C-alpha cells in the first residue's frame, strides 16, 4: 500500500494500462499468473487489483442472488401460512352447528279482548293423622 501513496500520476496511467492488458484474462488465469510476476511490480499490482475487483463482483452477485432467494422463500412461507390459517378458519366455520331459523308467528288479534286466564294450582290434601290412616279393625 505504501507504493500506492508514493505513485505519481504517470505511474497510475501505466498501472491502468497494465490492468487493461490483464483484463482480458479470466479470474483463474489471473490467480495463476499473479504469483509468477515479480514482487511489488506494477504488473503484479494490476493483477491483484483485477482479482480483488472480480472477486468483489462475484461476492456481490452471490449476495444479490441469496437475498432474492430468501425474499421468495419468505413470500412463499407467508402465503402458505395465510393459506393454512384460511383453511382452518373456513373448515372451522363449516363445522359449527347451524342455527335453525325461528319461524315468525303472527299474533292473532281478536276483535274482543279476552281476559287473561288465571291458572289455579292444584290443591293437594293434607295427610291424615296416623290414627285415621290405619285401616279399620276387623270384628
Amino acid at each position: 500500500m505504501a507504493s500506492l501513496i508514493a505513485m505519481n500520476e504517470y505511474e497510475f496511467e501505466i498501472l491502468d494500462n497494465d490492468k487493461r492488458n490483464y483484463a482480458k484474462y479470466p479470474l483463474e488465469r489471473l490467480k495463476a499468473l499473479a504469483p509468477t510476476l515479480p514482487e511489488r511490480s506494477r504488473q503484479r499490482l494490476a493483477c491483484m487489483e483485477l482479482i480483488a475487483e472480480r472477486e468483489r463482483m462475484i461476492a456481490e452477485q452471490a449476495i444479490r442472488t441469496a437475498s432474492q432467494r430468501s425474499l421468495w422463500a419468505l413470500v412463499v412461507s407467508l402465503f402458505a401460512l395465510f393459506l393454512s390459517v384460511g383453511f382452518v378458519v373456513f373448515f372451522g366455520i363449516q363445522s359449527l352447528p347451524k342455527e335453525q331459523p325461528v319461524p315468525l308467528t303472527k299474533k292473532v288479534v281478536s276483535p274482543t279482548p279476552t281476559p287473561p286466564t288465571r291458572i289455579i294450582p292444584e290443591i293437594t290434601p293434607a295427610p291424615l293423622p296416623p290414627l285415621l290412616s290405619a285401616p279399620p279393625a276387623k270384628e
Side-chain angles (χ1 to χ4, degrees):
M1 286 295 158
S3 63
L4 281 178
I5 297 172
M7 292 175 75
N8 61 23
E9 200 172 307
Y10 176 71
E11 289 174 322
F12 273 119
E13 261 185 59
I14 293 174
L15 181 63
D16 196 38
N17 287 338
D18 288 338
K19 279 177 71 174
R20 274 193 225 120
N21 290 336
Y22 290 121
K24 60 186 172 191
Y25 296 120
L27 181 62
E28 292 78 25
R29 173 81 173 131
L30 288 174
K31 285 183 176 181
L33 184 64
T36 63
L37 297 172
E39 188 80 27
R40 296 182 184 247
S41 67
R42 291 187 320 262
Q43 292 85 9
R44 187 168 187 167
L45 180 61
C47 245
M48 297 305 287
E49 284 184 4
L50 283 170
I51 290 170
E53 288 174 8
R54 290 184 183 174
E55 285 182 341
R56 190 190 80 247
M57 288 187 324
I58 290 171
E60 287 174 353
Q61 181 62 35
I63 289 172
R64 276 193 296 274
T65 303
S67 69
Q68 287 174 350
R69 287 181 181 170
S70 66
L71 179 64
W72 277 110
L74 176 67
V75 167
V76 168
S77 64
L78 286 176
F79 178 73
L81 176 71
F82 289 139
L83 189 64
S84 62
V85 168
F87 275 127
V88 168
V89 169
F90 176 74
F91 289 116
I93 289 174
Q94 293 297 321
S95 66
L96 290 176
K98 305 280 188 222
E99 288 186 22
Q100 299 297 328
V102 178
L104 297 175
T105 57
K106 289 187 174 181
K107 233 181 184 182
V108 178
V109 180
S110 63
T112 57
T114 56
T117 56
R118 189 171 144 203
I119 299 174
I120 302 172
E122 208 174 289
I123 300 174
T124 56
L128 295 172
L131 290 174
L132 294 177
S133 66
K138 289 189 181 180
E139 293 184 26

Short mmCIF file of all heavy atoms in Angstrom, two decimals, residues 45-105:
data_model
loop_
_atom_site.label_atom_id
_atom_site.label_comp_id
_atom_site.label_asym_id
_atom_site.label_seq_id
_atom_site.Cartn_x
_atom_site.Cartn_y
_atom_site.Cartn_z
N LEU A 45 0.69 -5.78 -9.15
CA LEU A 45 -0.31 -4.92 -8.50
C LEU A 45 -1.57 -4.84 -9.36
O LEU A 45 -2.69 -4.94 -8.85
CB LEU A 45 0.28 -3.52 -8.26
CG LEU A 45 -0.63 -2.51 -7.59
CD1 LEU A 45 -1.03 -3.01 -6.20
CD2 LEU A 45 0.03 -1.16 -7.50
N ALA A 46 -1.40 -4.71 -10.68
CA ALA A 46 -2.55 -4.66 -11.59
C ALA A 46 -3.33 -5.97 -11.53
O ALA A 46 -4.56 -5.99 -11.49
CB ALA A 46 -2.08 -4.37 -13.02
N CYS A 47 -2.59 -7.09 -11.51
CA CYS A 47 -3.22 -8.41 -11.41
C CYS A 47 -4.01 -8.54 -10.12
O CYS A 47 -5.16 -9.02 -10.12
CB CYS A 47 -2.13 -9.48 -11.45
SG CYS A 47 -2.20 -10.52 -12.87
N MET A 48 -3.41 -8.14 -9.02
CA MET A 48 -4.07 -8.26 -7.72
C MET A 48 -5.32 -7.37 -7.64
O MET A 48 -6.33 -7.77 -7.06
CB MET A 48 -3.09 -7.93 -6.59
CG MET A 48 -1.90 -8.87 -6.49
SD MET A 48 -2.36 -10.59 -6.34
CE MET A 48 -2.93 -10.64 -4.68
N GLU A 49 -5.24 -6.18 -8.21
CA GLU A 49 -6.42 -5.30 -8.22
C GLU A 49 -7.55 -5.90 -9.05
O GLU A 49 -8.71 -5.85 -8.66
CB GLU A 49 -6.04 -3.91 -8.75
CG GLU A 49 -5.29 -3.07 -7.75
CD GLU A 49 -5.01 -1.66 -8.27
OE1 GLU A 49 -5.47 -1.31 -9.38
OE2 GLU A 49 -4.34 -0.91 -7.55
N LEU A 50 -7.20 -6.48 -10.19
CA LEU A 50 -8.23 -7.12 -11.02
C LEU A 50 -8.84 -8.32 -10.30
O LEU A 50 -10.07 -8.53 -10.35
CB LEU A 50 -7.63 -7.57 -12.36
CG LEU A 50 -7.42 -6.46 -13.38
CD1 LEU A 50 -6.61 -6.99 -14.56
CD2 LEU A 50 -8.74 -5.92 -13.86
N ILE A 51 -8.01 -9.10 -9.62
CA ILE A 51 -8.51 -10.24 -8.85
C ILE A 51 -9.47 -9.76 -7.78
O ILE A 51 -10.57 -10.31 -7.61
CB ILE A 51 -7.34 -11.05 -8.24
CG1 ILE A 51 -6.57 -11.78 -9.34
CG2 ILE A 51 -7.86 -12.05 -7.20
CD1 ILE A 51 -5.27 -12.40 -8.86
N ALA A 52 -9.09 -8.71 -7.05
CA ALA A 52 -9.94 -8.18 -5.97
C ALA A 52 -11.27 -7.64 -6.53
O ALA A 52 -12.34 -7.90 -5.96
CB ALA A 52 -9.20 -7.08 -5.22
N GLU A 53 -11.22 -6.92 -7.64
CA GLU A 53 -12.44 -6.38 -8.23
C GLU A 53 -13.39 -7.49 -8.67
O GLU A 53 -14.60 -7.44 -8.42
CB GLU A 53 -12.10 -5.49 -9.43
CG GLU A 53 -11.49 -4.17 -9.07
CD GLU A 53 -11.03 -3.38 -10.31
OE1 GLU A 53 -11.32 -3.81 -11.45
OE2 GLU A 53 -10.38 -2.35 -10.12
N ARG A 54 -12.83 -8.51 -9.34
CA ARG A 54 -13.68 -9.59 -9.84
C ARG A 54 -14.25 -10.43 -8.70
O ARG A 54 -15.42 -10.83 -8.76
CB ARG A 54 -12.89 -10.46 -10.81
CG ARG A 54 -12.61 -9.72 -12.11
CD ARG A 54 -11.92 -10.55 -13.12
NE ARG A 54 -11.62 -9.75 -14.29
CZ ARG A 54 -10.91 -10.20 -15.30
NH1 ARG A 54 -10.43 -11.43 -15.29
NH2 ARG A 54 -10.66 -9.43 -16.33
N GLU A 55 -13.46 -10.68 -7.67
CA GLU A 55 -13.99 -11.43 -6.54
C GLU A 55 -15.06 -10.64 -5.80
O GLU A 55 -16.04 -11.20 -5.32
CB GLU A 55 -12.86 -11.84 -5.59
CG GLU A 55 -12.02 -12.97 -6.14
CD GLU A 55 -10.92 -13.42 -5.21
OE1 GLU A 55 -10.56 -12.66 -4.28
OE2 GLU A 55 -10.41 -14.53 -5.41
N ARG A 56 -14.87 -9.32 -5.72
CA ARG A 56 -15.90 -8.47 -5.10
C ARG A 56 -17.19 -8.51 -5.91
O ARG A 56 -18.29 -8.62 -5.36
CB ARG A 56 -15.40 -7.03 -4.98
CG ARG A 56 -16.32 -6.15 -4.12
CD ARG A 56 -16.00 -4.67 -4.18
NE ARG A 56 -16.56 -4.12 -5.41
CZ ARG A 56 -15.86 -3.65 -6.44
NH1 ARG A 56 -14.55 -3.62 -6.40
NH2 ARG A 56 -16.46 -3.18 -7.51
N MET A 57 -17.09 -8.47 -7.25
CA MET A 57 -18.28 -8.54 -8.10
C MET A 57 -18.96 -9.89 -7.95
O MET A 57 -20.20 -9.96 -7.89
CB MET A 57 -17.91 -8.29 -9.56
CG MET A 57 -17.55 -6.85 -9.85
SD MET A 57 -17.28 -6.40 -11.60
CE MET A 57 -16.54 -7.81 -12.31
N ILE A 58 -18.18 -10.96 -7.87
CA ILE A 58 -18.76 -12.30 -7.68
C ILE A 58 -19.47 -12.38 -6.33
O ILE A 58 -20.57 -12.91 -6.22
CB ILE A 58 -17.66 -13.38 -7.81
CG1 ILE A 58 -17.19 -13.47 -9.25
CG2 ILE A 58 -18.17 -14.73 -7.32
CD1 ILE A 58 -15.95 -14.34 -9.46
N ALA A 59 -18.85 -11.82 -5.29
CA ALA A 59 -19.46 -11.85 -3.96
C ALA A 59 -20.76 -11.02 -3.93
O ALA A 59 -21.76 -11.44 -3.34
CB ALA A 59 -18.49 -11.33 -2.92
N GLU A 60 -20.74 -9.85 -4.58
CA GLU A 60 -21.95 -9.02 -4.62
C GLU A 60 -23.07 -9.74 -5.37
O GLU A 60 -24.24 -9.68 -4.95
CB GLU A 60 -21.65 -7.68 -5.28
CG GLU A 60 -20.83 -6.74 -4.42
CD GLU A 60 -20.42 -5.47 -5.15
OE1 GLU A 60 -20.66 -5.36 -6.38
OE2 GLU A 60 -19.85 -4.60 -4.49
N GLN A 61 -22.73 -10.42 -6.45
CA GLN A 61 -23.74 -11.16 -7.20
C GLN A 61 -24.30 -12.30 -6.35
O GLN A 61 -25.50 -12.56 -6.36
CB GLN A 61 -23.14 -11.71 -8.51
CG GLN A 61 -24.14 -12.48 -9.34
CD GLN A 61 -25.31 -11.64 -9.80
OE1 GLN A 61 -25.16 -10.45 -10.08
NE2 GLN A 61 -26.49 -12.23 -9.85
N ALA A 62 -23.42 -12.98 -5.60
CA ALA A 62 -23.88 -14.06 -4.73
C ALA A 62 -24.81 -13.53 -3.64
O ALA A 62 -25.82 -14.16 -3.31
CB ALA A 62 -22.69 -14.78 -4.11
N ILE A 63 -24.49 -12.36 -3.10
CA ILE A 63 -25.34 -11.75 -2.07
C ILE A 63 -26.68 -11.36 -2.67
O ILE A 63 -27.73 -11.59 -2.05
CB ILE A 63 -24.63 -10.53 -1.43
CG1 ILE A 63 -23.47 -11.01 -0.57
CG2 ILE A 63 -25.60 -9.69 -0.62
CD1 ILE A 63 -22.58 -9.89 -0.06
N ARG A 64 -26.69 -10.80 -3.87
CA ARG A 64 -27.96 -10.45 -4.53
C ARG A 64 -28.81 -11.68 -4.78
O ARG A 64 -30.02 -11.68 -4.53
CB ARG A 64 -27.69 -9.71 -5.85
CG ARG A 64 -27.46 -8.23 -5.70
CD ARG A 64 -27.53 -7.53 -7.05
NE ARG A 64 -26.49 -7.95 -7.98
CZ ARG A 64 -25.27 -7.44 -8.04
NH1 ARG A 64 -24.92 -6.48 -7.23
NH2 ARG A 64 -24.39 -7.89 -8.92
N THR A 65 -28.18 -12.73 -5.26
CA THR A 65 -28.91 -13.97 -5.53
C THR A 65 -29.49 -14.55 -4.24
O THR A 65 -30.65 -14.97 -4.20
CB THR A 65 -27.98 -15.00 -6.20
OG1 THR A 65 -27.44 -14.43 -7.39
CG2 THR A 65 -28.72 -16.28 -6.53
N ALA A 66 -28.67 -14.55 -3.18
CA ALA A 66 -29.14 -15.09 -1.89
C ALA A 66 -30.29 -14.24 -1.34
O ALA A 66 -31.26 -14.78 -0.80
CB ALA A 66 -28.00 -15.14 -0.90
N SER A 67 -30.20 -12.93 -1.48
CA SER A 67 -31.28 -12.08 -0.96
C SER A 67 -32.56 -12.27 -1.76
O SER A 67 -33.65 -12.27 -1.20
CB SER A 67 -30.86 -10.61 -0.95
OG SER A 67 -30.75 -10.11 -2.26
N GLN A 68 -32.46 -12.45 -3.08
CA GLN A 68 -33.65 -12.71 -3.89
C GLN A 68 -34.28 -14.04 -3.51
O GLN A 68 -35.50 -14.13 -3.37
CB GLN A 68 -33.30 -12.71 -5.37
CG GLN A 68 -33.00 -11.34 -5.94
CD GLN A 68 -32.50 -11.39 -7.38
OE1 GLN A 68 -32.20 -12.46 -7.90
NE2 GLN A 68 -32.41 -10.23 -8.01
N ARG A 69 -33.45 -15.05 -3.32
CA ARG A 69 -33.99 -16.35 -2.94
C ARG A 69 -34.64 -16.31 -1.56
O ARG A 69 -35.68 -16.93 -1.34
CB ARG A 69 -32.89 -17.41 -2.97
CG ARG A 69 -32.48 -17.78 -4.38
CD ARG A 69 -31.41 -18.83 -4.39
NE ARG A 69 -31.01 -19.14 -5.76
CZ ARG A 69 -29.97 -19.88 -6.06
NH1 ARG A 69 -29.22 -20.40 -5.11
NH2 ARG A 69 -29.68 -20.11 -7.32
N SER A 70 -34.01 -15.60 -0.65
CA SER A 70 -34.60 -15.52 0.69
C SER A 70 -35.90 -14.73 0.66
O SER A 70 -36.84 -15.04 1.41
CB SER A 70 -33.61 -14.91 1.69
OG SER A 70 -33.35 -13.56 1.36
N LEU A 71 -35.97 -13.71 -0.18
CA LEU A 71 -37.22 -12.95 -0.31
C LEU A 71 -38.33 -13.85 -0.87
O LEU A 71 -39.45 -13.83 -0.35
CB LEU A 71 -37.01 -11.74 -1.22
CG LEU A 71 -38.24 -10.88 -1.46
CD1 LEU A 71 -38.70 -10.24 -0.16
CD2 LEU A 71 -37.95 -9.82 -2.49
N TRP A 72 -38.02 -14.64 -1.88
CA TRP A 72 -39.02 -15.56 -2.43
C TRP A 72 -39.43 -16.60 -1.40
O TRP A 72 -40.60 -16.98 -1.31
CB TRP A 72 -38.50 -16.22 -3.71
CG TRP A 72 -38.70 -15.35 -4.90
CD1 TRP A 72 -37.76 -14.70 -5.61
CD2 TRP A 72 -39.95 -14.99 -5.50
NE1 TRP A 72 -38.32 -13.97 -6.62
CE2 TRP A 72 -39.67 -14.14 -6.58
CE3 TRP A 72 -41.27 -15.31 -5.23
CZ2 TRP A 72 -40.66 -13.60 -7.38
CZ3 TRP A 72 -42.26 -14.78 -6.04
CH2 TRP A 72 -41.95 -13.94 -7.11
N ALA A 73 -38.44 -17.08 -0.62
CA ALA A 73 -38.78 -18.07 0.41
C ALA A 73 -39.71 -17.45 1.45
O ALA A 73 -40.65 -18.10 1.92
CB ALA A 73 -37.50 -18.58 1.07
N LEU A 74 -39.47 -16.19 1.79
CA LEU A 74 -40.34 -15.50 2.75
C LEU A 74 -41.75 -15.34 2.19
O LEU A 74 -42.74 -15.59 2.88
CB LEU A 74 -39.74 -14.13 3.10
CG LEU A 74 -40.56 -13.25 4.03
CD1 LEU A 74 -40.64 -13.88 5.41
CD2 LEU A 74 -39.98 -11.86 4.09
N VAL A 75 -41.85 -14.94 0.93
CA VAL A 75 -43.16 -14.75 0.30
C VAL A 75 -43.92 -16.08 0.25
O VAL A 75 -45.11 -16.14 0.60
CB VAL A 75 -42.99 -14.15 -1.12
CG1 VAL A 75 -44.28 -14.24 -1.91
CG2 VAL A 75 -42.52 -12.71 -1.03
N VAL A 76 -43.24 -17.14 -0.14
CA VAL A 76 -43.89 -18.45 -0.23
C VAL A 76 -44.32 -18.94 1.15
O VAL A 76 -45.43 -19.46 1.32
CB VAL A 76 -42.97 -19.48 -0.92
CG1 VAL A 76 -43.49 -20.89 -0.77
CG2 VAL A 76 -42.81 -19.12 -2.40
N SER A 77 -43.47 -18.74 2.16
CA SER A 77 -43.84 -19.21 3.50
C SER A 77 -45.00 -18.40 4.07
O SER A 77 -45.88 -18.96 4.73
CB SER A 77 -42.63 -19.15 4.45
OG SER A 77 -42.20 -17.82 4.62
N LEU A 78 -45.04 -17.09 3.83
CA LEU A 78 -46.17 -16.29 4.29
C LEU A 78 -47.46 -16.69 3.57
O LEU A 78 -48.52 -16.78 4.19
CB LEU A 78 -45.90 -14.79 4.08
CG LEU A 78 -44.90 -14.16 5.04
CD1 LEU A 78 -44.65 -12.71 4.66
CD2 LEU A 78 -45.39 -14.26 6.47
N PHE A 79 -47.35 -16.96 2.28
CA PHE A 79 -48.52 -17.42 1.53
C PHE A 79 -49.03 -18.74 2.10
O PHE A 79 -50.24 -18.92 2.29
CB PHE A 79 -48.17 -17.56 0.05
CG PHE A 79 -49.29 -18.07 -0.79
CD1 PHE A 79 -50.37 -17.27 -1.10
CD2 PHE A 79 -49.27 -19.37 -1.27
CE1 PHE A 79 -51.42 -17.74 -1.87
CE2 PHE A 79 -50.30 -19.86 -2.04
CZ PHE A 79 -51.38 -19.05 -2.34
N ALA A 80 -48.11 -19.65 2.36
CA ALA A 80 -48.51 -20.95 2.92
C ALA A 80 -49.14 -20.78 4.31
O ALA A 80 -50.11 -21.46 4.65
CB ALA A 80 -47.30 -21.88 3.00
N LEU A 81 -48.60 -19.87 5.10
CA LEU A 81 -49.16 -19.62 6.43
C LEU A 81 -50.58 -19.08 6.32
O LEU A 81 -51.49 -19.58 6.99
CB LEU A 81 -48.27 -18.64 7.20
CG LEU A 81 -48.78 -18.21 8.57
CD1 LEU A 81 -48.67 -19.38 9.54
CD2 LEU A 81 -48.00 -17.03 9.08
N PHE A 82 -50.78 -18.07 5.49
CA PHE A 82 -52.11 -17.49 5.34
C PHE A 82 -53.09 -18.50 4.75
O PHE A 82 -54.26 -18.55 5.14
CB PHE A 82 -52.07 -16.23 4.48
CG PHE A 82 -51.40 -15.06 5.14
CD1 PHE A 82 -50.54 -14.23 4.44
CD2 PHE A 82 -51.62 -14.79 6.48
CE1 PHE A 82 -49.92 -13.15 5.06
CE2 PHE A 82 -51.00 -13.72 7.11
CZ PHE A 82 -50.15 -12.90 6.40
N LEU A 83 -52.63 -19.30 3.81
CA LEU A 83 -53.49 -20.30 3.21
C LEU A 83 -53.90 -21.35 4.24
O LEU A 83 -55.08 -21.71 4.31
CB LEU A 83 -52.76 -20.97 2.03
CG LEU A 83 -53.60 -21.89 1.16
CD1 LEU A 83 -54.70 -21.09 0.46
CD2 LEU A 83 -52.72 -22.58 0.14
N SER A 84 -52.97 -21.81 5.06
CA SER A 84 -53.33 -22.82 6.07
C SER A 84 -54.26 -22.24 7.12
O SER A 84 -55.21 -22.90 7.54
CB SER A 84 -52.07 -23.39 6.71
OG SER A 84 -51.36 -22.37 7.38
N VAL A 85 -54.02 -21.00 7.54
CA VAL A 85 -54.92 -20.36 8.51
C VAL A 85 -56.30 -20.18 7.89
O VAL A 85 -57.32 -20.41 8.54
CB VAL A 85 -54.34 -19.01 9.00
CG1 VAL A 85 -55.37 -18.21 9.76
CG2 VAL A 85 -53.11 -19.24 9.85
N GLY A 86 -56.33 -19.83 6.62
CA GLY A 86 -57.61 -19.68 5.92
C GLY A 86 -58.38 -20.98 5.87
O GLY A 86 -59.60 -21.01 6.09
N PHE A 87 -57.70 -22.10 5.58
CA PHE A 87 -58.35 -23.40 5.57
C PHE A 87 -58.89 -23.76 6.94
O PHE A 87 -60.01 -24.27 7.07
CB PHE A 87 -57.41 -24.50 5.08
CG PHE A 87 -57.37 -24.63 3.59
CD1 PHE A 87 -56.15 -24.59 2.92
CD2 PHE A 87 -58.52 -24.80 2.85
CE1 PHE A 87 -56.09 -24.70 1.55
CE2 PHE A 87 -58.48 -24.93 1.48
CZ PHE A 87 -57.25 -24.87 0.83
N VAL A 88 -58.10 -23.52 7.97
CA VAL A 88 -58.56 -23.85 9.33
C VAL A 88 -59.79 -23.04 9.68
O VAL A 88 -60.78 -23.57 10.22
CB VAL A 88 -57.42 -23.60 10.35
CG1 VAL A 88 -57.94 -23.64 11.77
CG2 VAL A 88 -56.30 -24.62 10.16
N VAL A 89 -59.77 -21.76 9.38
CA VAL A 89 -60.93 -20.91 9.69
C VAL A 89 -62.14 -21.35 8.86
O VAL A 89 -63.25 -21.46 9.39
CB VAL A 89 -60.59 -19.42 9.43
CG1 VAL A 89 -61.83 -18.55 9.46
CG2 VAL A 89 -59.57 -18.93 10.45
N PHE A 90 -61.93 -21.61 7.57
CA PHE A 90 -63.04 -21.99 6.70
C PHE A 90 -63.69 -23.28 7.19
O PHE A 90 -64.92 -23.35 7.34
CB PHE A 90 -62.55 -22.15 5.26
CG PHE A 90 -63.60 -22.64 4.31
CD1 PHE A 90 -64.61 -21.78 3.89
CD2 PHE A 90 -63.60 -23.94 3.86
CE1 PHE A 90 -65.59 -22.22 3.03
CE2 PHE A 90 -64.57 -24.39 3.00
CZ PHE A 90 -65.58 -23.52 2.57
N PHE A 91 -62.89 -24.31 7.42
CA PHE A 91 -63.46 -25.58 7.86
C PHE A 91 -63.96 -25.51 9.30
O PHE A 91 -64.87 -26.25 9.68
CB PHE A 91 -62.47 -26.72 7.67
CG PHE A 91 -62.27 -27.06 6.22
CD1 PHE A 91 -61.04 -26.89 5.61
CD2 PHE A 91 -63.32 -27.54 5.46
CE1 PHE A 91 -60.87 -27.18 4.27
CE2 PHE A 91 -63.17 -27.85 4.12
CZ PHE A 91 -61.93 -27.67 3.52
N GLY A 92 -63.38 -24.62 10.11
CA GLY A 92 -63.90 -24.42 11.47
C GLY A 92 -65.27 -23.80 11.44
O GLY A 92 -66.17 -24.19 12.19
N ILE A 93 -65.49 -22.86 10.55
CA ILE A 93 -66.80 -22.22 10.42
C ILE A 93 -67.80 -23.22 9.85
O ILE A 93 -68.96 -23.26 10.26
CB ILE A 93 -66.70 -20.96 9.54
CG1 ILE A 93 -65.94 -19.86 10.30
CG2 ILE A 93 -68.07 -20.46 9.12
CD1 ILE A 93 -65.65 -18.63 9.48
N GLN A 94 -67.36 -24.06 8.91
CA GLN A 94 -68.26 -25.04 8.30
C GLN A 94 -68.73 -26.07 9.31
O GLN A 94 -69.83 -26.59 9.20
CB GLN A 94 -67.57 -25.75 7.14
CG GLN A 94 -67.27 -24.86 5.96
CD GLN A 94 -68.53 -24.31 5.31
OE1 GLN A 94 -69.51 -25.02 5.20
NE2 GLN A 94 -68.49 -23.06 4.90
N SER A 95 -67.89 -26.39 10.31
CA SER A 95 -68.26 -27.43 11.27
C SER A 95 -69.12 -26.91 12.42
O SER A 95 -69.60 -27.70 13.23
CB SER A 95 -66.99 -28.08 11.84
OG SER A 95 -66.29 -27.14 12.62
N LEU A 96 -69.33 -25.62 12.52
CA LEU A 96 -70.19 -25.08 13.57
C LEU A 96 -71.63 -25.51 13.33
O LEU A 96 -72.07 -25.61 12.18
CB LEU A 96 -70.12 -23.55 13.60
CG LEU A 96 -68.81 -22.93 14.08
CD1 LEU A 96 -68.88 -21.42 13.95
CD2 LEU A 96 -68.52 -23.32 15.50
N PRO A 97 -72.40 -25.77 14.40
CA PRO A 97 -73.80 -26.16 14.20
C PRO A 97 -74.58 -24.98 13.62
O PRO A 97 -74.41 -23.83 14.01
CB PRO A 97 -74.29 -26.52 15.60
CG PRO A 97 -73.35 -25.85 16.53
CD PRO A 97 -72.04 -25.72 15.81
N LYS A 98 -75.42 -25.32 12.67
CA LYS A 98 -76.22 -24.27 12.02
C LYS A 98 -77.40 -23.92 12.92
O LYS A 98 -78.04 -24.77 13.50
CB LYS A 98 -76.76 -24.78 10.68
CG LYS A 98 -75.70 -25.27 9.74
CD LYS A 98 -75.03 -24.11 9.07
CE LYS A 98 -74.12 -24.65 7.99
NZ LYS A 98 -72.89 -24.03 7.89
N GLU A 99 -77.67 -22.65 13.04
CA GLU A 99 -78.82 -22.20 13.82
C GLU A 99 -80.06 -22.34 12.95
O GLU A 99 -80.08 -21.91 11.81
CB GLU A 99 -78.64 -20.76 14.26
CG GLU A 99 -77.60 -20.57 15.33
CD GLU A 99 -77.57 -19.13 15.81
OE1 GLU A 99 -78.57 -18.41 15.65
OE2 GLU A 99 -76.53 -18.74 16.34
N GLN A 100 -81.10 -22.95 13.53
CA GLN A 100 -82.35 -23.08 12.80
C GLN A 100 -83.10 -21.76 12.89
O GLN A 100 -83.19 -21.16 13.94
CB GLN A 100 -83.21 -24.20 13.42
CG GLN A 100 -82.55 -25.57 13.37
CD GLN A 100 -82.33 -26.03 11.94
OE1 GLN A 100 -83.11 -25.70 11.06
NE2 GLN A 100 -81.26 -26.76 11.73
N PRO A 101 -83.62 -21.30 11.78
CA PRO A 101 -84.35 -20.04 11.82
C PRO A 101 -85.64 -20.20 12.63
O PRO A 101 -86.33 -21.21 12.54
CB PRO A 101 -84.65 -19.73 10.36
CG PRO A 101 -84.52 -21.03 9.66
CD PRO A 101 -83.55 -21.86 10.45
N VAL A 102 -85.90 -19.23 13.45
CA VAL A 102 -87.11 -19.25 14.28
C VAL A 102 -88.27 -18.77 13.42
O VAL A 102 -88.22 -17.69 12.84
CB VAL A 102 -86.94 -18.33 15.51
CG1 VAL A 102 -88.19 -18.30 16.35
CG2 VAL A 102 -85.73 -18.76 16.32
N PRO A 103 -89.33 -19.60 13.30
CA PRO A 103 -90.45 -19.17 12.47
C PRO A 103 -91.15 -17.98 13.13
O PRO A 103 -91.37 -17.96 14.34
CB PRO A 103 -91.35 -20.39 12.39
CG PRO A 103 -90.98 -21.22 13.56
CD PRO A 103 -89.54 -20.90 13.88
N LEU A 104 -91.47 -17.05 12.35
CA LEU A 104 -92.17 -15.88 12.86
C LEU A 104 -93.67 -16.19 12.91
O LEU A 104 -94.27 -16.56 11.91
CB LEU A 104 -91.92 -14.67 11.95
CG LEU A 104 -90.47 -14.21 11.86
CD1 LEU A 104 -90.35 -13.08 10.84
CD2 LEU A 104 -89.99 -13.73 13.22
N THR A 105 -94.22 -16.09 14.09
CA THR A 105 -95.65 -16.33 14.23
C THR A 105 -96.35 -14.99 14.38
O THR A 105 -95.89 -14.12 15.12
CB THR A 105 -95.94 -17.20 15.46
OG1 THR A 105 -95.40 -16.56 16.60
CG2 THR A 105 -95.34 -18.58 15.30
#
